[in-house]
Structures are given as structure tokens and as C-alpha cells.
Amino acid sequence: MWYMPKPVTVSIDLPQPRSSVYDFLDRLANHEPFNDHLMTEWQLSGPPSGVGASACVRTRALGMSDVVDIEVIEAVAPARIVE
């Protein structure tokens, strides 16, 4: 049986303008430095930002490792990025 996880929503208050934060996070390669404790061996493909940007990463957590594909499926500037 396949398990479908529930969506996760994350929010945080930052001193930078919303558009600057969005522009940074819209570029999938920029996610690597703040996820390096969980994800390694990043292989990017597709466009560098926006819908279709994708990465294949190796995850490591709780003594386990797996390969995960990440893809941006929705991008609404400057408010929302869905992976």
C-alpha cells in the first residue's frame, strides 16, 4: 500500500522584502545550503527556477538514506512555491 503524505505548510517572518525572499527561494539550487543536513548529492534539472525546476537528492535522516525527486509544480510570485 502506498502512503500519501499530507501537505506541509511553512511560514516565517523575515526582515527582507517578500519579493527578495521569493526570488531567492524560487531558484531551486538555493535550497541546497539550508538543507545540507538532510539532503546531499543534488542533481538539478529543468529550468533553474519556477515550474519544472527539479532536483534529485539523497536524503539522510534517522540513520536511513533514500533518493528523492523534488519538482516545483506551482509558483505564484511573490507568495507561493509548491514542490
Side-chain angles (χ1 to χ4, degrees):
M1 183 165 70
W2 191 68
Y3 170 73
M4 179 62 151
K6 294 182 179 184
V8 174
T9 301
V10 177
S11 64
I12 187 169
D13 292 326
L14 298 172
Q16 293 84 359
R18 182 178 219 177
S19 60
S20 296
V21 174
Y22 181 91
D23 290 345
F24 178 81
L25 292 176
D26 188 41
R27 190 166 191 82
L28 197 55
N30 290 341
H31 293 224
E32 186 174 359
F34 62 85
N35 282 303
D36 62 351
H37 62 291
L38 294 174
M39 300 176 191
T40 61
E41 301 176 28
W42 286 66
Q43 296 178 359
L44 301 167
S45 60
S49 62
V51 173
S54 61
C56 180
V57 301
R58 177 163 299 281
T59 62
R60 56 179 184 198
L62 303 172
M64 298 173 54
S65 180
D66 201 356
V67 175
V68 175
D69 292 315
I70 302 168
E71 183 176 356
V72 177
I73 59 171
E74 183 180 351
V76 181
R80 184 167 129 127
I81 300 168
V82 179
E83 299 172 356

